[in-house]
Amino acid sequence: MAMNKGLLYCPDRDTDCMEIYIGQGICTLEKCVLDNPEYIAKQAAIEKRRTELYEKEKRYRREERIASTKIRRQTNIRTAQEDLARKKEKMERLYTRGRTRAADKLSQEIGQLERRMRSEL
């Protein structure tokens, strides 16, 4: 009665079994529970369900990642549009005040921003 892995350990099948505990180290079953077709079918159903839940979770996480990317992108576009509008207003003020060199420089920045926004869309 040398059980090296606990009171429920069955060395023949390398698993835990209640019959080993009840039989005080000796299995009294004629046929192992692991060979029972109902048990095998139940374990297959459990594994199938586990796989389905795992795939569902993967899909959910992928959708969440895509949605967050879209939200970030929309926020970035909105921020860039607001920045562009502010720069245009500043450029107009500079032109009306006669500061053409600064306004021209700002005009080039605006052109670069507009091109970058068009390429991202």
Side-chain angles (χ1 to χ4, degrees), residues 52-67:
E52 289 171 356
L53 290 174
Y54 175 73
E55 291 300 322
K56 183 178 178 181
E57 179 68 19
K58 272 180 32 179
R59 278 193 311 274
Y60 174 75
R61 287 184 183 194
R62 188 178 322 120
E63 290 169 1
E64 284 291 315
R65 191 170 49 248
I66 290 169

Side-chain angles (χ1 to χ4, degrees), residues 106-119:
L106 201 53
S107 175
Q108 289 176 355
E109 287 181 33
I110 290 170
Q112 290 173 351
L113 271 174
E114 287 176 338
R115 281 190 295 278
R116 192 175 323 134
M117 285 178 60
R118 268 185 263 139
S119 68

Side-chain angles (χ1 to χ4, degrees), residues 29-115:
L29 294 175
E30 294 177 17
K31 191 173 183 183
C32 185
V33 176
L34 298 177
D35 295 332
N36 185 344
E38 292 174 11
Y39 175 82
I40 293 170
K42 185 176 180 181
Q43 291 303 313
I46 290 171
E47 185 59 34
K48 180 181 176 190
R49 178 70 176 146
R50 183 180 299 129
T51 303
E52 289 171 356
L53 290 174
Y54 175 73
E55 291 300 322
K56 183 178 178 181
E57 179 68 19
K58 272 180 32 179
R59 278 193 311 274
Y60 174 75
R61 287 184 183 194
R62 188 178 322 120
E63 290 169 1
E64 284 291 315
R65 191 170 49 248
I66 290 169
S68 67
T69 302
K70 286 181 181 178
I71 291 170
R72 258 193 319 276
R73 186 168 188 260
Q74 290 171 351
T75 304
N76 290 342
I77 289 172
R78 193 175 314 119
T79 304
Q81 288 171 340
E82 291 170 357
D83 188 37
L84 188 64
R86 277 194 308 277
K87 286 187 181 204
K88 283 183 179 181
E89 289 173 8
K90 184 176 180 181
M91 180 187 69
E92 290 174 9
R93 278 196 314 269
L94 289 172
Y95 273 129
T96 55
R97 292 182 182 161
R99 300 186 63 203
T100 56
R101 184 174 288 170
D104 288 342
K105 186 176 180 182
L106 201 53
S107 175
Q108 289 176 355
E109 287 181 33
I110 290 170
Q112 290 173 351
L113 271 174
E114 287 176 338
R115 281 190 295 278

